[in-house]
Structures are given as structure tokens and as C-alpha cells.
């Protein structure tokens, strides 16, 4: 199913699949009407937005699927800390059933808080709250923790939350796909939305005018079981798995750093893993995975399972402009 969707949205040579795109266009038209009406209600102040007591930075996208938001959030946490800020993070907690708001504490399983929140807190120890209502999550974060700036992981379309800075993260290879709205295309909002954000970060390819290039630099291989840095070579006779928005990006990274697993297997984004599911793919071999996958496998990981952390690298000009804009708000 994921392969078919990717072909519909991103393949320039659709073949016979263009018929399916045509069939989906009426639904995209309905999606356009509903989302346009919602934005208009906020624009006319018939629906109200809420401003929090500290500046809010929203990191999001207008396409479905992975673009590099989580590494960007981690990058911003570290950047703001270096400049004296006390950042906190809010997120929806995708795929987790709970009511109200929940504070994310290091060591919590991804099944309770979501894979991305678990990964962010494990890496940074940042104060973080999850909740479907970003406003309520932000208010809870301010009540529970001493933070002076909030980063919203996703939520570009969550207009009820007022924001001081908007950062759009764009997959450099996929960009806007076929340029159509859901479900005929990958867009949550039209391409016009890029013109309204403060910054666009382009992950993995050359940036266009008024955009900033971002690269994901791989770090050292670490043990999924205990996080220890690899001292041996874990890269022979392994399979690679990825349950992220764009699994091919991880597989391409392995090729780029000279790692050639005997097999690659893409799971669905936010896949809930089990030992049996991974061993079925691994067939007795070692396993290479992303950091996001690793937080879901810590409790049953084997000694020959490894994950590759990545760090976002962005031009210094972006840092300067972001900090200047934040000071003005």
C-alpha cells in the first residue's frame, strides 16, 4: 500500500496509475473546501487562536510523510540552549491513546508516548508534553516546567495555537510531489503555504531561492539494547530496517557511508515492532535501524542490533536569522 501511495504522489511516470489520481481528485476538491473554510474561520476570527506566555516555534511540513522534522527539533533544542534559552517541546503523540496532556519522561516506552517524543526526550532530556490539543499541551508545559520558549513538533496546520516563528521542513528529493492535495497528492495545504512561513529548510538537496539547505549527518553506530557506541564493526552480514516516513532516505544514507546490508525492509511509519516481526526479517542476522526505530525496540533488542543517530546541519545564516527573529518577538 505504501509503495502504491508513493508512486501516486511522487512518481513522475505514473503509467496506468494516473487513472486512480483522476478518481481521487474529487476528494481532493472536498479536502480543499474543508481546509479553506477552516482557515477562513480563523482569518475572520470566528474561530479564535490562543497566544501562550512564551514565544512558540512551529516545526512542520505541508506534505504527508517524513521530511526531517524530528532532527530539526533536536537541532533547535541544542541551538537555543547554547544561547541561554530554556526550551520545551510539545507534540501530538501520534498513535498513542490517552486523554488530555501527558508529560514525557526519559525512559518512557514509545508505546505510551509515541516514537518521536520518546526519541527526542531520550536524546535531549528536554521538558516535553504531548496532547492532541497543542494549546492545552503548551499550557500544561508552562505549568509543569520552567521553559521560556516552546517548540511545537509538527502542528503547522494547528491554527488554534498562535506562533511566533514557522519553520517548514521539506524533503529535497520529493519536494511537493505531484503538487496535489490529499488524497490525490501528498499536500496538506497548497504550495502557496510555503510563501507564508518564516523559514524553509530543504533536507538533502540543493535549496531554491529563499530556502536553507539542511543535511543529516550520521553519527556513530550505537547498540539498540544499551545505547553504547560500537567499538567493533557491526556492519557485516546485517539487514537494514526502517519504519519512518521515507525509509529510502535511511537506505540511501547507508549506501552513502559505504554500508551494504544483505537485505533492506521498509515498515510503515510509526510501526509498532515486536521481536518476532524483526527476527522474521532478520533471519538470524544483525539488524541496522534508525534512532526512531530503536526507541521502540529497546526492551527486546539483541546484542547485534544497531542504530544510526543523525544530526541536522544547517547553514549559520539560518541560526542568525532565527535568533534575531526570536529576539524581536
Amino acid at each position: 500500500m505504501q509503495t502504491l501511495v508513493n508512486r501516486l504522489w511522487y512518481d513522475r511516470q505514473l503509467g496506468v496509475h494516473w487513472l486512480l489520481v483522476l478518481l481521487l481528485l474529487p476528494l481532493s476538491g472536498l479536502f480543499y473546501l474543508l481546509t479553506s473554510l477552516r482557515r477562513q474561520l480563523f482569518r475572520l476570527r470566528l474561530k479564535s487562536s490562543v497566544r501562550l506566555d512564551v514565544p512558540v516555534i512551529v516545526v512542520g511540513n505541508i506534505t504527508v510523510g517524513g521530511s526531517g522534522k524530528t532532527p530539526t527539533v533536536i537541532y533547535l533544542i541544542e541551538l537555543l540552549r547554547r544561547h541561554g534559552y530554556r526550551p520545551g517541546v510539545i507534540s501530538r503523540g501520534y498513535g498513542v491513546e490517552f486523554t488530555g496532556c501527558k508529560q514525557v519522561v526519559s525512559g518512557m516506552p514509545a508505546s505510551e508516548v509515541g516514537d518521536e517524543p520518546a526519541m527526542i526526550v531520550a536524546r535531549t532530556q528536554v521538558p516535553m508534553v504531548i496532547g492532541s490539543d497543542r494549546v492545552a499541551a503548551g499550557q500544561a508545559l508552562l505549568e509543569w516546567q520552567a521553559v521560556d520558549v516552546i517548540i511545537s513538533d509538527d502542528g503547522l496546520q494547528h491554527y488554534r495555537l498562535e506562533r511566533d516563528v514557522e519553520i517548514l521542513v521539506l524533503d529535497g528529493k520529493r519536494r511537493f510531489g505531484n503538487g496535489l492535495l490529499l488524497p490525490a497528492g501528498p499536500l496538506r495545504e497548497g504550495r502557496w503555504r510555503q510563501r507564508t512561513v518564516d523559514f524553509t529548510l530543504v533536507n538533502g538537496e540543493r535549496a531554491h531561492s529563499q530556502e536553507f539547505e539542511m543535511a543529516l549527518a550520521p553519527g556513530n553506530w550505537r547498540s539498540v539494547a544499551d545505547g553504547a557506541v560500537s567499538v567493533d564493526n557491526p556492519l557485516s552480514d546485517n539487514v537494514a530496517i526502517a519504519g519512518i516516513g521515507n525509509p529510502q532516505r535511511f537506505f540511501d544514507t547507508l549506501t552513502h557511508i559505504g554500508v551494504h546490508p544483505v537485505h533492506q525492509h521498509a515498515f510503515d511509519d510509526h510501526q509498532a515492532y515486536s521481536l518476532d516481526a524483526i527476527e522474521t526479517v532478520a533471519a538470524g542476522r544483525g539488524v541496522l535501524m534508525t534512532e526512531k526505530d530503536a526507541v521502540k525496540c529497546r526492551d527486546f533488542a539483541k546484542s547485534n542490533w544497531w542504530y544510526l543517530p543523525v544530526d541536522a546541519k544547517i547553514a549559520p545564516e539560518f541560526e542568525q536569522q532565527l535568533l534575531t527573529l526570536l529576539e524581536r518577538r
Side-chain angles (χ1 to χ4, degrees):
M1 181 64 180
Q2 188 178 49
T3 301
L4 175 60
V5 169
N6 285 336
R7 291 196 64 184
L8 289 177
W9 290 351
Y10 299 109
D11 194 339
R12 296 182 179 181
Q13 297 180 342
L14 283 174
V16 297
H17 295 302
W18 67 271
L19 290 172
L20 182 54
V21 172
L22 287 178
L23 290 174
L24 292 173
L25 280 177
L27 294 177
S28 294
L30 177 61
F31 181 81
Y32 168 78
L33 291 175
L34 293 175
T35 54
S36 296
L37 174 61
R38 181 170 176 272
R39 285 191 300 269
Q40 189 66 16
L41 291 175
F42 279 103
R43 192 173 294 116
L44 297 174
R45 300 189 182 279
L46 297 176
K47 291 178 72 72
S48 59
S49 298
V50 177
R51 174 167 289 280
L52 300 180
D53 293 335
V54 301
V56 173
I57 302 172
V58 172
V59 180
N61 56 22
I62 59 174
T63 57
V64 173
S67 58
K69 293 190 306 297
T70 303
T72 303
V73 169
I74 293 172
Y75 164 91
L76 291 172
I77 293 167
E78 296 171 345
L79 170 66
L80 292 170
R81 283 174 170 169
R82 289 199 305 270
H83 289 270
Y85 289 96
R86 301 188 307 275
V89 178
I90 58 175
S91 181
R92 185 175 185 274
Y94 183 87
V96 181
E97 294 186 5
F98 64 98
T99 58
C101 300
K102 179 187 289 189
Q103 189 166 197
V104 183
V105 178
S106 183
M108 277 185 166
S111 59
E112 293 184 7
V113 297
D115 46 18
E116 289 158 352
M119 172 184 162
I120 291 169
V121 172
R123 172 81 84 93
T124 67
Q125 309 299 310
V126 71
M128 186 168 188
V129 171
I130 58 174
S132 59
D133 183 341
R134 298 295 199 303
V135 172
Q139 291 170 336
L141 179 59
L142 292 174
E143 179 182 348
W144 296 339
Q145 298 286 343
V147 303
D148 55 14
V149 59
I150 291 177
I151 303 167
S152 177
D153 179 19
D154 211 354
L156 203 61
Q157 290 78 36
H158 197 92
Y159 289 108
R160 185 164 172 265
L161 174 64
E162 287 199 21
R163 65 285 310 265
D164 299 275
V165 180
E166 289 187 330
I167 300 175
L168 169 64
V169 185
L170 189 63
D171 184 302
K173 288 185 177 180
R174 293 178 165 189
R175 291 192 71 87
F176 302 104
N178 60 17
L180 300 175
L181 292 172
L182 289 166
L187 298 187
R188 300 172 178 179
E189 295 181 281
R191 293 181 59 173
W192 59 268
R193 186 67 167 90
Q194 183 186 15
R195 298 191 298 271
T196 70
V197 301
D198 298 288
F199 302 98
T200 298
L201 304 180
V202 178
N203 181 10
E205 294 290 331
R206 296 295 298 271
H208 295 180
S209 176
Q210 306 301 312
E211 298 175 345
F212 293 91
E213 292 179 16
M214 180 177 81
L216 298 181
N220 296 316
W221 288 100
R222 290 181 174 270
S223 167
V224 176
D226 59 16
V229 175
S230 169
V231 294
D232 299 317
N233 182 2
L235 308 182
S236 59
D237 194 32
N238 288 279
V239 301
I241 67 170
I244 58 177
N246 182 6
Q248 191 59 47
R249 183 188 298 120
F250 176 61
F251 301 144
D252 290 344
T253 296
L254 296 183
T255 300
H256 180 72
I257 63 177
V259 177
H260 303 284
V262 297
H263 177 62
Q264 299 174 349
H265 186 86
F267 288 95
D268 290 336
D269 194 12
H270 305 290
Q271 173 80 33
Y273 290 116
S274 67
L275 178 60
D276 288 343
I278 295 181
E279 286 197 317
T280 298
V281 174
R285 296 185 172 89
V287 181
L288 309 178
M289 64 182 71
T290 72
E291 187 174 7
K292 178 177 167 180
D293 295 311
V295 298
K296 295 180 285 187
C297 301
R298 291 178 299 200
D299 293 340
F300 53 84
K302 294 195 169 184
S303 60
N304 60 344
W305 293 9
W306 307 91
Y307 73 89
L308 185 67
V310 296
D311 294 305
K313 304 295 182 183
I314 308 174
E317 292 78 13
F318 165 75
E319 295 187 5
Q320 296 166 4
Q321 293 183 29
L322 172 65
L323 292 169
T324 298
L325 185 58
L326 197 57
E327 290 171 359
R328 292 174 180 171
R329 302 294 172 91

